[in-house]
Amino acid sequence: MDNRNLFQKEKQGLIPAIVQDYETREVLMLAYMNEESFNLTLETGFTHFFSRSRNCLWKKGETTGHVQLVKEIITDCDNDTLLILVNQTGVACHTGSRTCFFNSIKK
């Protein structure tokens, strides 16, 4: 697949990336990638994202050591969302939780 099609201008150069645990399939987090962070992820084997609030690239776990080793990257049927399967070291959420998805709205 041609990766350039993932980051078309009409998508503002960003694509959502859902991160899942490779073994358990637990959803860990959602972040955004631009073409540069995607390429860094492919080159290094560790997730890199684009921060919309800080307007810069960041490597997951760079300061905490809670890195994500990429096992597989899958696109959805429309090529507008990534599913990234990882081996997570430590926790995924900046709150200290294993996953960013822990606030239940309805059970």
mmCIF file of all heavy atoms in Angstrom, residues 11-62:
data_model
loop_
_atom_site.group_PDB
_atom_site.id
_atom_site.type_symbol
_atom_site.label_atom_id
_atom_site.label_comp_id
_atom_site.label_asym_id
_atom_site.label_seq_id
_atom_site.Cartn_x
_atom_site.Cartn_y
_atom_site.Cartn_z
ATOM 1 N N LYS A 11 -7.536 15.586 5.031
ATOM 2 C CA LYS A 11 -7.535 15.067 6.404
ATOM 3 C C LYS A 11 -6.677 15.942 7.308
ATOM 4 O O LYS A 11 -6.382 15.577 8.427
ATOM 5 C CB LYS A 11 -7.008 13.635 6.427
ATOM 6 C CG LYS A 11 -7.845 12.659 5.647
ATOM 7 C CD LYS A 11 -7.186 11.306 5.656
ATOM 8 C CE LYS A 11 -7.841 10.395 4.657
ATOM 9 N NZ LYS A 11 -7.118 9.153 4.485
ATOM 10 N N GLN A 12 -6.267 17.097 6.818
ATOM 11 C CA GLN A 12 -5.425 18.045 7.552
ATOM 12 C C GLN A 12 -4.086 17.421 7.943
ATOM 13 O O GLN A 12 -3.442 17.857 8.871
ATOM 14 C CB GLN A 12 -6.151 18.587 8.779
ATOM 15 C CG GLN A 12 -7.408 19.340 8.414
ATOM 16 C CD GLN A 12 -8.197 19.783 9.611
ATOM 17 O OE1 GLN A 12 -8.155 19.185 10.669
ATOM 18 N NE2 GLN A 12 -8.927 20.860 9.431
ATOM 19 N N GLY A 13 -3.687 16.384 7.229
ATOM 20 C CA GLY A 13 -2.393 15.764 7.463
ATOM 21 C C GLY A 13 -2.318 14.895 8.701
ATOM 22 O O GLY A 13 -1.256 14.403 9.030
ATOM 23 N N LEU A 14 -3.439 14.696 9.409
ATOM 24 C CA LEU A 14 -3.458 13.873 10.619
ATOM 25 C C LEU A 14 -4.398 12.696 10.440
ATOM 26 O O LEU A 14 -5.413 12.790 9.763
ATOM 27 C CB LEU A 14 -3.916 14.685 11.828
ATOM 28 C CG LEU A 14 -3.032 15.838 12.256
ATOM 29 C CD1 LEU A 14 -3.669 16.580 13.416
ATOM 30 C CD2 LEU A 14 -1.641 15.343 12.633
ATOM 31 N N ILE A 15 -4.051 11.597 11.089
ATOM 32 C CA ILE A 15 -4.879 10.410 11.047
ATOM 33 C C ILE A 15 -4.967 9.840 12.468
ATOM 34 O O ILE A 15 -3.961 9.800 13.182
ATOM 35 C CB ILE A 15 -4.311 9.374 10.042
ATOM 36 C CG1 ILE A 15 -5.259 8.207 9.844
ATOM 37 C CG2 ILE A 15 -2.948 8.904 10.440
ATOM 38 C CD1 ILE A 15 -4.888 7.313 8.673
ATOM 39 N N PRO A 16 -6.179 9.455 12.921
ATOM 40 C CA PRO A 16 -6.299 8.860 14.251
ATOM 41 C C PRO A 16 -5.621 7.497 14.292
ATOM 42 O O PRO A 16 -5.674 6.727 13.323
ATOM 43 C CB PRO A 16 -7.804 8.714 14.473
ATOM 44 C CG PRO A 16 -8.479 9.207 13.259
ATOM 45 C CD PRO A 16 -7.462 9.587 12.246
ATOM 46 N N ALA A 17 -4.986 7.231 15.416
ATOM 47 C CA ALA A 17 -4.311 5.945 15.615
ATOM 48 C C ALA A 17 -4.807 5.331 16.919
ATOM 49 O O ALA A 17 -4.570 5.871 18.002
ATOM 50 C CB ALA A 17 -2.797 6.148 15.665
ATOM 51 N N ILE A 18 -5.513 4.230 16.798
ATOM 52 C CA ILE A 18 -5.984 3.482 17.956
ATOM 53 C C ILE A 18 -4.876 2.498 18.316
ATOM 54 O O ILE A 18 -4.402 1.751 17.461
ATOM 55 C CB ILE A 18 -7.287 2.726 17.637
ATOM 56 C CG1 ILE A 18 -8.373 3.708 17.193
ATOM 57 C CG2 ILE A 18 -7.721 1.880 18.823
ATOM 58 C CD1 ILE A 18 -9.550 3.056 16.519
ATOM 59 N N VAL A 19 -4.480 2.504 19.582
ATOM 60 C CA VAL A 19 -3.399 1.623 20.021
ATOM 61 C C VAL A 19 -3.989 0.524 20.890
ATOM 62 O O VAL A 19 -4.699 0.801 21.865
ATOM 63 C CB VAL A 19 -2.317 2.408 20.797
ATOM 64 C CG1 VAL A 19 -1.196 1.475 21.221
ATOM 65 C CG2 VAL A 19 -1.779 3.555 19.942
ATOM 66 N N GLN A 20 -3.684 -0.712 20.518
ATOM 67 C CA GLN A 20 -4.191 -1.888 21.216
ATOM 68 C C GLN A 20 -3.044 -2.767 21.665
ATOM 69 O O GLN A 20 -2.014 -2.853 20.978
ATOM 70 C CB GLN A 20 -5.050 -2.737 20.263
ATOM 71 C CG GLN A 20 -6.504 -2.653 20.457
ATOM 72 C CD GLN A 20 -7.235 -3.620 19.530
ATOM 73 O OE1 GLN A 20 -6.788 -3.940 18.431
ATOM 74 N NE2 GLN A 20 -8.380 -4.069 19.963
ATOM 75 N N ASP A 21 -3.245 -3.448 22.805
ATOM 76 C CA ASP A 21 -2.283 -4.434 23.262
ATOM 77 C C ASP A 21 -2.284 -5.607 22.282
ATOM 78 O O ASP A 21 -3.338 -6.134 21.923
ATOM 79 C CB ASP A 21 -2.646 -4.917 24.668
ATOM 80 C CG ASP A 21 -1.623 -5.879 25.227
ATOM 81 O OD1 ASP A 21 -1.688 -7.082 24.873
ATOM 82 O OD2 ASP A 21 -0.768 -5.447 26.017
ATOM 83 N N TYR A 22 -1.110 -6.010 21.847
ATOM 84 C CA TYR A 22 -0.973 -7.058 20.825
ATOM 85 C C TYR A 22 -1.547 -8.390 21.296
ATOM 86 O O TYR A 22 -2.181 -9.101 20.523
ATOM 87 C CB TYR A 22 0.504 -7.214 20.469
ATOM 88 C CG TYR A 22 0.793 -8.281 19.446
ATOM 89 C CD1 TYR A 22 0.424 -8.116 18.116
ATOM 90 C CD2 TYR A 22 1.449 -9.461 19.804
ATOM 91 C CE1 TYR A 22 0.697 -9.087 17.169
ATOM 92 C CE2 TYR A 22 1.727 -10.438 18.863
ATOM 93 C CZ TYR A 22 1.343 -10.248 17.549
ATOM 94 O OH TYR A 22 1.603 -11.216 16.612
ATOM 95 N N GLU A 23 -1.343 -8.726 22.558
ATOM 96 C CA GLU A 23 -1.774 -10.041 23.055
ATOM 97 C C GLU A 23 -3.215 -10.048 23.534
ATOM 98 O O GLU A 23 -3.983 -10.939 23.191
ATOM 99 C CB GLU A 23 -0.831 -10.498 24.161
ATOM 100 C CG GLU A 23 0.597 -10.585 23.652
ATOM 101 C CD GLU A 23 1.364 -11.731 24.240
ATOM 102 O OE1 GLU A 23 0.826 -12.479 25.060
ATOM 103 O OE2 GLU A 23 2.536 -11.867 23.855
ATOM 104 N N THR A 24 -3.609 -9.059 24.336
ATOM 105 C CA THR A 24 -4.946 -9.067 24.939
ATOM 106 C C THR A 24 -5.989 -8.362 24.090
ATOM 107 O O THR A 24 -7.179 -8.519 24.328
ATOM 108 C CB THR A 24 -4.921 -8.386 26.317
ATOM 109 O OG1 THR A 24 -4.670 -6.984 26.151
ATOM 110 C CG2 THR A 24 -3.874 -9.013 27.230
ATOM 111 N N ARG A 25 -5.551 -7.538 23.146
ATOM 112 C CA ARG A 25 -6.415 -6.707 22.298
ATOM 113 C C ARG A 25 -7.124 -5.608 23.099
ATOM 114 O O ARG A 25 -8.052 -4.973 22.606
ATOM 115 C CB ARG A 25 -7.441 -7.535 21.520
ATOM 116 C CG ARG A 25 -6.833 -8.520 20.520
ATOM 117 C CD ARG A 25 -5.921 -7.809 19.535
ATOM 118 N NE ARG A 25 -5.700 -8.577 18.332
ATOM 119 C CZ ARG A 25 -4.519 -9.055 17.959
ATOM 120 N NH1 ARG A 25 -3.467 -8.858 18.704
ATOM 121 N NH2 ARG A 25 -4.380 -9.718 16.835
ATOM 122 N N GLU A 26 -6.668 -5.338 24.313
ATOM 123 C CA GLU A 26 -7.214 -4.235 25.107
ATOM 124 C C GLU A 26 -6.871 -2.917 24.420
ATOM 125 O O GLU A 26 -5.737 -2.705 23.998
ATOM 126 C CB GLU A 26 -6.601 -4.268 26.508
ATOM 127 C CG GLU A 26 -7.049 -3.150 27.417
ATOM 128 C CD GLU A 26 -6.391 -3.222 28.782
ATOM 129 O OE1 GLU A 26 -5.262 -3.750 28.888
ATOM 130 O OE2 GLU A 26 -7.015 -2.753 29.734
ATOM 131 N N VAL A 27 -7.858 -2.017 24.301
ATOM 132 C CA VAL A 27 -7.611 -0.701 23.729
ATOM 133 C C VAL A 27 -6.867 0.137 24.769
ATOM 134 O O VAL A 27 -7.339 0.313 25.889
ATOM 135 C CB VAL A 27 -8.921 -0.005 23.308
ATOM 136 C CG1 VAL A 27 -8.639 1.402 22.801
ATOM 137 C CG2 VAL A 27 -9.634 -0.812 22.241
ATOM 138 N N LEU A 28 -5.696 0.631 24.401
ATOM 139 C CA LEU A 28 -4.857 1.371 25.335
ATOM 140 C C LEU A 28 -5.023 2.878 25.219
ATOM 141 O O LEU A 28 -5.071 3.584 26.231
ATOM 142 C CB LEU A 28 -3.387 0.997 25.118
ATOM 143 C CG LEU A 28 -3.045 -0.480 25.311
ATOM 144 C CD1 LEU A 28 -1.607 -0.747 24.921
ATOM 145 C CD2 LEU A 28 -3.310 -0.901 26.751
ATOM 146 N N MET A 29 -5.090 3.390 24.016
ATOM 147 C CA MET A 29 -5.151 4.836 23.830
ATOM 148 C C MET A 29 -5.522 5.185 22.399
ATOM 149 O O MET A 29 -5.537 4.318 21.523
ATOM 150 C CB MET A 29 -3.806 5.479 24.187
ATOM 151 C CG MET A 29 -2.645 4.984 23.336
ATOM 152 S SD MET A 29 -1.055 5.709 23.756
ATOM 153 C CE MET A 29 -1.193 7.295 22.965
ATOM 154 N N LEU A 30 -5.814 6.452 22.197
ATOM 155 C CA LEU A 30 -6.025 7.014 20.872
ATOM 156 C C LEU A 30 -5.138 8.246 20.772
ATOM 157 O O LEU A 30 -5.079 9.054 21.697
ATOM 158 C CB LEU A 30 -7.481 7.434 20.671
ATOM 159 C CG LEU A 30 -7.703 8.253 19.407
ATOM 160 C CD1 LEU A 30 -8.031 7.351 18.243
ATOM 161 C CD2 LEU A 30 -8.781 9.278 19.601
ATOM 162 N N ALA A 31 -4.430 8.359 19.683
ATOM 163 C CA ALA A 31 -3.590 9.529 19.438
ATOM 164 C C ALA A 31 -3.657 9.825 17.944
ATOM 165 O O ALA A 31 -4.358 9.144 17.196
ATOM 166 C CB ALA A 31 -2.155 9.269 19.883
ATOM 167 N N TYR A 32 -2.928 10.837 17.518
ATOM 168 C CA TYR A 32 -2.922 11.216 16.105
ATOM 169 C C TYR A 32 -1.509 11.119 15.546
ATOM 170 O O TYR A 32 -0.533 11.370 16.241
ATOM 171 C CB TYR A 32 -3.465 12.635 15.919
ATOM 172 C CG TYR A 32 -4.938 12.687 16.182
ATOM 173 C CD1 TYR A 32 -5.422 12.874 17.471
ATOM 174 C CD2 TYR A 32 -5.852 12.509 15.151
ATOM 175 C CE1 TYR A 32 -6.784 12.890 17.723
ATOM 176 C CE2 TYR A 32 -7.210 12.527 15.396
ATOM 177 C CZ TYR A 32 -7.667 12.713 16.682
ATOM 178 O OH TYR A 32 -9.016 12.721 16.932
ATOM 179 N N MET A 33 -1.441 10.758 14.280
ATOM 180 C CA MET A 33 -0.166 10.689 13.575
ATOM 181 C C MET A 33 -0.214 11.600 12.359
ATOM 182 O O MET A 33 -1.262 11.744 11.727
ATOM 183 C CB MET A 33 0.131 9.273 13.104
ATOM 184 C CG MET A 33 0.476 8.306 14.193
ATOM 185 S SD MET A 33 0.942 6.715 13.474
ATOM 186 C CE MET A 33 2.006 6.111 14.765
ATOM 187 N N ASN A 34 0.935 12.183 12.065
ATOM 188 C CA ASN A 34 1.112 12.826 10.770
ATOM 189 C C ASN A 34 2.106 11.954 10.001
ATOM 190 O O ASN A 34 2.561 10.918 10.503
ATOM 191 C CB ASN A 34 1.564 14.288 10.909
ATOM 192 C CG ASN A 34 2.921 14.443 11.559
ATOM 193 O OD1 ASN A 34 3.635 13.469 11.815
ATOM 194 N ND2 ASN A 34 3.287 15.676 11.845
ATOM 195 N N GLU A 35 2.422 12.339 8.809
ATOM 196 C CA GLU A 35 3.293 11.504 7.981
ATOM 197 C C GLU A 35 4.667 11.305 8.631
ATOM 198 O O GLU A 35 5.230 10.206 8.598
ATOM 199 C CB GLU A 35 3.446 12.106 6.586
ATOM 200 C CG GLU A 35 4.100 11.179 5.602
ATOM 201 C CD GLU A 35 3.987 11.657 4.166
ATOM 202 O OE1 GLU A 35 3.446 12.757 3.920
ATOM 203 O OE2 GLU A 35 4.439 10.917 3.279
ATOM 204 N N GLU A 36 5.191 12.350 9.257
ATOM 205 C CA GLU A 36 6.510 12.251 9.883
ATOM 206 C C GLU A 36 6.498 11.304 11.082
ATOM 207 O O GLU A 36 7.392 10.462 11.225
ATOM 208 C CB GLU A 36 6.990 13.642 10.317
ATOM 209 C CG GLU A 36 8.403 13.643 10.829
ATOM 210 C CD GLU A 36 8.898 15.042 11.189
ATOM 211 O OE1 GLU A 36 8.131 16.023 11.086
ATOM 212 O OE2 GLU A 36 10.067 15.145 11.591
ATOM 213 N N SER A 37 5.490 11.391 11.935
ATOM 214 C CA SER A 37 5.435 10.486 13.093
ATOM 215 C C SER A 37 5.189 9.038 12.651
ATOM 216 O O SER A 37 5.736 8.099 13.231
ATOM 217 C CB SER A 37 4.378 10.937 14.097
ATOM 218 O OG SER A 37 3.082 10.872 13.550
ATOM 219 N N PHE A 38 4.396 8.874 11.598
ATOM 220 C CA PHE A 38 4.165 7.535 11.047
ATOM 221 C C PHE A 38 5.474 6.935 10.531
ATOM 222 O O PHE A 38 5.799 5.785 10.824
ATOM 223 C CB PHE A 38 3.125 7.621 9.929
ATOM 224 C CG PHE A 38 2.808 6.305 9.288
ATOM 225 C CD1 PHE A 38 1.995 5.385 9.925
ATOM 226 C CD2 PHE A 38 3.317 5.996 8.041
ATOM 227 C CE1 PHE A 38 1.699 4.159 9.329
ATOM 228 C CE2 PHE A 38 3.024 4.788 7.433
ATOM 229 C CZ PHE A 38 2.214 3.866 8.085
ATOM 230 N N ASN A 39 6.228 7.730 9.776
ATOM 231 C CA ASN A 39 7.501 7.238 9.247
ATOM 232 C C ASN A 39 8.495 6.927 10.364
ATOM 233 O O ASN A 39 9.225 5.936 10.290
ATOM 234 C CB ASN A 39 8.091 8.229 8.249
ATOM 235 C CG ASN A 39 7.317 8.243 6.941
ATOM 236 O OD1 ASN A 39 6.687 7.264 6.561
ATOM 237 N ND2 ASN A 39 7.332 9.373 6.265
ATOM 238 N N LEU A 40 8.536 7.760 11.399
ATOM 239 C CA LEU A 40 9.407 7.480 12.553
ATOM 240 C C LEU A 40 9.006 6.180 13.236
ATOM 241 O O LEU A 40 9.859 5.404 13.673
ATOM 242 C CB LEU A 40 9.347 8.631 13.564
ATOM 243 C CG LEU A 40 10.228 9.822 13.296
ATOM 244 C CD1 LEU A 40 9.873 10.977 14.237
ATOM 245 C CD2 LEU A 40 11.694 9.447 13.451
ATOM 246 N N THR A 41 7.707 5.949 13.331
ATOM 247 C CA THR A 41 7.214 4.706 13.922
ATOM 248 C C THR A 41 7.682 3.508 13.099
ATOM 249 O O THR A 41 8.166 2.514 13.649
ATOM 250 C CB THR A 41 5.675 4.737 14.017
ATOM 251 O OG1 THR A 41 5.300 5.800 14.905
ATOM 252 C CG2 THR A 41 5.119 3.426 14.526
ATOM 253 N N LEU A 42 7.558 3.604 11.780
ATOM 254 C CA LEU A 42 8.011 2.517 10.910
ATOM 255 C C LEU A 42 9.524 2.299 11.021
ATOM 256 O O LEU A 42 9.989 1.165 11.068
ATOM 257 C CB LEU A 42 7.642 2.801 9.455
ATOM 258 C CG LEU A 42 6.165 2.767 9.094
ATOM 259 C CD1 LEU A 42 5.976 3.126 7.616
ATOM 260 C CD2 LEU A 42 5.549 1.407 9.399
ATOM 261 N N GLU A 43 10.284 3.396 11.066
ATOM 262 C CA GLU A 43 11.750 3.308 11.107
ATOM 263 C C GLU A 43 12.273 2.755 12.424
ATOM 264 O O GLU A 43 13.220 1.975 12.441
ATOM 265 C CB GLU A 43 12.360 4.691 10.876
ATOM 266 C CG GLU A 43 12.211 5.211 9.470
ATOM 267 C CD GLU A 43 12.590 6.686 9.347
ATOM 268 O OE1 GLU A 43 13.304 7.211 10.225
ATOM 269 O OE2 GLU A 43 12.151 7.318 8.361
ATOM 270 N N THR A 44 11.674 3.184 13.544
ATOM 271 C CA THR A 44 12.214 2.823 14.861
ATOM 272 C C THR A 44 11.558 1.607 15.485
ATOM 273 O O THR A 44 12.141 0.974 16.361
ATOM 274 C CB THR A 44 12.061 3.998 15.855
ATOM 275 O OG1 THR A 44 10.665 4.222 16.108
ATOM 276 C CG2 THR A 44 12.728 5.255 15.315
ATOM 277 N N GLY A 45 10.319 1.308 15.089
ATOM 278 C CA GLY A 45 9.592 0.201 15.700
ATOM 279 C C GLY A 45 8.890 0.594 16.993
ATOM 280 O O GLY A 45 8.274 -0.246 17.644
ATOM 281 N N PHE A 46 8.958 1.883 17.364
ATOM 282 C CA PHE A 46 8.270 2.400 18.543
ATOM 283 C C PHE A 46 7.308 3.496 18.113
ATOM 284 O O PHE A 46 7.592 4.242 17.169
ATOM 285 C CB PHE A 46 9.276 2.967 19.556
ATOM 286 C CG PHE A 46 10.134 1.914 20.184
ATOM 287 C CD1 PHE A 46 11.369 1.600 19.647
ATOM 288 C CD2 PHE A 46 9.697 1.220 21.300
ATOM 289 C CE1 PHE A 46 12.168 0.617 20.216
ATOM 290 C CE2 PHE A 46 10.479 0.234 21.879
ATOM 291 C CZ PHE A 46 11.721 -0.072 21.336
ATOM 292 N N THR A 47 6.179 3.608 18.820
ATOM 293 C CA THR A 47 5.177 4.589 18.408
ATOM 294 C C THR A 47 5.651 6.019 18.618
ATOM 295 O O THR A 47 6.259 6.354 19.628
ATOM 296 C CB THR A 47 3.842 4.389 19.156
ATOM 297 O OG1 THR A 47 4.073 4.439 20.560
ATOM 298 C CG2 THR A 47 3.172 3.091 18.762
ATOM 299 N N HIS A 48 5.353 6.830 17.612
ATOM 300 C CA HIS A 48 5.556 8.279 17.637
ATOM 301 C C HIS A 48 4.240 8.900 17.183
ATOM 302 O O HIS A 48 3.584 8.365 16.289
ATOM 303 C CB HIS A 48 6.672 8.704 16.677
ATOM 304 C CG HIS A 48 8.030 8.292 17.108
ATOM 305 N ND1 HIS A 48 8.485 6.996 17.003
ATOM 306 C CD2 HIS A 48 9.035 8.993 17.649
ATOM 307 C CE1 HIS A 48 9.719 6.933 17.458
ATOM 308 N NE2 HIS A 48 10.083 8.134 17.852
ATOM 309 N N PHE A 49 3.877 10.011 17.789
ATOM 310 C CA PHE A 49 2.612 10.651 17.480
ATOM 311 C C PHE A 49 2.820 12.145 17.256
ATOM 312 O O PHE A 49 3.899 12.672 17.489
ATOM 313 C CB PHE A 49 1.605 10.434 18.620
ATOM 314 C CG PHE A 49 1.336 8.979 18.889
ATOM 315 C CD1 PHE A 49 1.887 8.355 19.995
ATOM 316 C CD2 PHE A 49 0.546 8.235 18.035
ATOM 317 C CE1 PHE A 49 1.654 7.011 20.245
ATOM 318 C CE2 PHE A 49 0.302 6.889 18.275
ATOM 319 C CZ PHE A 49 0.857 6.281 19.384
ATOM 320 N N PHE A 50 1.745 12.805 16.823
ATOM 321 C CA PHE A 50 1.760 14.248 16.685
ATOM 322 C C PHE A 50 0.808 14.831 17.716
ATOM 323 O O PHE A 50 -0.367 14.473 17.763
ATOM 324 C CB PHE A 50 1.325 14.678 15.278
ATOM 325 C CG PHE A 50 1.376 16.163 15.089
ATOM 326 C CD1 PHE A 50 2.574 16.786 14.801
ATOM 327 C CD2 PHE A 50 0.235 16.929 15.242
ATOM 328 C CE1 PHE A 50 2.635 18.162 14.650
ATOM 329 C CE2 PHE A 50 0.287 18.304 15.097
ATOM 330 C CZ PHE A 50 1.495 18.916 14.805
ATOM 331 N N SER A 51 1.307 15.733 18.541
ATOM 332 C CA SER A 51 0.485 16.397 19.551
ATOM 333 C C SER A 51 -0.219 17.593 18.924
ATOM 334 O O SER A 51 0.435 18.535 18.466
ATOM 335 C CB SER A 51 1.347 16.864 20.722
ATOM 336 O OG SER A 51 0.583 17.687 21.582
ATOM 337 N N ARG A 52 -1.536 17.550 18.916
ATOM 338 C CA ARG A 52 -2.306 18.667 18.371
ATOM 339 C C ARG A 52 -2.236 19.880 19.293
ATOM 340 O O ARG A 52 -2.233 21.008 18.826
ATOM 341 C CB ARG A 52 -3.764 18.251 18.149
ATOM 342 C CG ARG A 52 -3.903 17.143 17.112
ATOM 343 C CD ARG A 52 -5.322 16.658 16.976
ATOM 344 N NE ARG A 52 -5.798 16.139 18.255
ATOM 345 C CZ ARG A 52 -7.071 16.001 18.582
ATOM 346 N NH1 ARG A 52 -8.013 16.341 17.719
ATOM 347 N NH2 ARG A 52 -7.423 15.521 19.751
ATOM 348 N N SER A 53 -2.151 19.658 20.594
ATOM 349 C CA SER A 53 -2.120 20.780 21.538
ATOM 350 C C SER A 53 -0.750 21.462 21.579
ATOM 351 O O SER A 53 -0.653 22.678 21.709
ATOM 352 C CB SER A 53 -2.526 20.328 22.933
ATOM 353 O OG SER A 53 -1.634 19.337 23.409
ATOM 354 N N ARG A 54 0.317 20.673 21.465
ATOM 355 C CA ARG A 54 1.676 21.244 21.511
ATOM 356 C C ARG A 54 2.252 21.488 20.117
ATOM 357 O O ARG A 54 3.324 22.050 19.980
ATOM 358 C CB ARG A 54 2.598 20.314 22.311
ATOM 359 C CG ARG A 54 2.226 20.202 23.770
ATOM 360 C CD ARG A 54 3.254 19.384 24.544
ATOM 361 N NE ARG A 54 3.651 18.174 23.884
ATOM 362 C CZ ARG A 54 3.261 16.944 24.208
ATOM 363 N NH1 ARG A 54 2.458 16.749 25.215
ATOM 364 N NH2 ARG A 54 3.686 15.899 23.542
ATOM 365 N N ASN A 55 1.550 20.961 19.099
ATOM 366 C CA ASN A 55 1.977 21.126 17.709
ATOM 367 C C ASN A 55 3.392 20.598 17.476
ATOM 368 O O ASN A 55 4.226 21.270 16.860
ATOM 369 C CB ASN A 55 1.860 22.596 17.285
ATOM 370 C CG ASN A 55 1.867 22.745 15.779
ATOM 371 O OD1 ASN A 55 1.369 21.885 15.064
ATOM 372 N ND2 ASN A 55 2.434 23.824 15.293
ATOM 373 N N CYS A 56 3.647 19.374 17.971
ATOM 374 C CA CYS A 56 4.974 18.781 17.795
ATOM 375 C C CYS A 56 4.887 17.255 17.857
ATOM 376 O O CYS A 56 3.894 16.695 18.296
ATOM 377 C CB CYS A 56 5.941 19.293 18.863
ATOM 378 S SG CYS A 56 5.511 18.781 20.533
ATOM 379 N N LEU A 57 5.957 16.619 17.406
ATOM 380 C CA LEU A 57 6.061 15.167 17.472
ATOM 381 C C LEU A 57 6.421 14.747 18.889
ATOM 382 O O LEU A 57 7.085 15.473 19.620
ATOM 383 C CB LEU A 57 7.159 14.676 16.532
ATOM 384 C CG LEU A 57 6.959 14.907 15.038
ATOM 385 C CD1 LEU A 57 8.184 14.424 14.283
ATOM 386 C CD2 LEU A 57 5.716 14.227 14.541
ATOM 387 N N TRP A 58 6.001 13.536 19.268
ATOM 388 C CA TRP A 58 6.424 12.962 20.540
ATOM 389 C C TRP A 58 6.499 11.450 20.431
ATOM 390 O O TRP A 58 5.719 10.831 19.720
ATOM 391 C CB TRP A 58 5.519 13.388 21.695
ATOM 392 C CG TRP A 58 4.051 13.038 21.565
ATOM 393 C CD1 TRP A 58 3.130 13.675 20.787
ATOM 394 C CD2 TRP A 58 3.348 11.986 22.222
ATOM 395 N NE1 TRP A 58 1.902 13.092 20.932
ATOM 396 C CE2 TRP A 58 1.999 12.057 21.807
ATOM 397 C CE3 TRP A 58 3.712 10.995 23.129
ATOM 398 C CZ2 TRP A 58 1.018 11.176 22.263
ATOM 399 C CZ3 TRP A 58 2.737 10.121 23.590
ATOM 400 C CH2 TRP A 58 1.413 10.212 23.155
ATOM 401 N N LYS A 59 7.485 10.885 21.096
ATOM 402 C CA LYS A 59 7.636 9.434 21.166
ATOM 403 C C LYS A 59 6.969 8.960 22.443
ATOM 404 O O LYS A 59 7.264 9.455 23.527
ATOM 405 C CB LYS A 59 9.112 9.031 21.187
ATOM 406 C CG LYS A 59 9.311 7.533 21.328
ATOM 407 C CD LYS A 59 10.768 7.162 21.486
ATOM 408 C CE LYS A 59 10.907 5.663 21.710
ATOM 409 N NZ LYS A 59 12.275 5.297 22.039
ATOM 410 N N LYS A 60 6.054 8.014 22.325
ATOM 411 C CA LYS A 60 5.370 7.479 23.490
ATOM 412 C C LYS A 60 6.391 6.855 24.432
ATOM 413 O O LYS A 60 7.189 6.011 24.028
ATOM 414 C CB LYS A 60 4.328 6.445 23.064
ATOM 415 C CG LYS A 60 3.605 5.794 24.209
ATOM 416 C CD LYS A 60 2.755 6.796 24.930
ATOM 417 C CE LYS A 60 1.986 6.125 26.056
ATOM 418 N NZ LYS A 60 1.530 7.082 27.042
ATOM 419 N N GLY A 61 6.384 7.307 25.684
ATOM 420 C CA GLY A 61 7.267 6.746 26.703
ATOM 421 C C GLY A 61 8.656 7.333 26.752
ATOM 422 O O GLY A 61 9.501 6.849 27.501
ATOM 423 N N GLU A 62 8.911 8.367 25.982
ATOM 424 C CA GLU A 62 10.259 8.947 25.931
ATOM 425 C C GLU A 62 10.728 9.424 27.302
ATOM 426 O O GLU A 62 11.885 9.246 27.658
ATOM 427 C CB GLU A 62 10.294 10.098 24.932
ATOM 428 C CG GLU A 62 11.686 10.631 24.678
ATOM 429 C CD GLU A 62 11.719 11.550 23.479
ATOM 430 O OE1 GLU A 62 10.833 12.412 23.348
ATOM 431 O OE2 GLU A 62 12.632 11.375 22.652
#
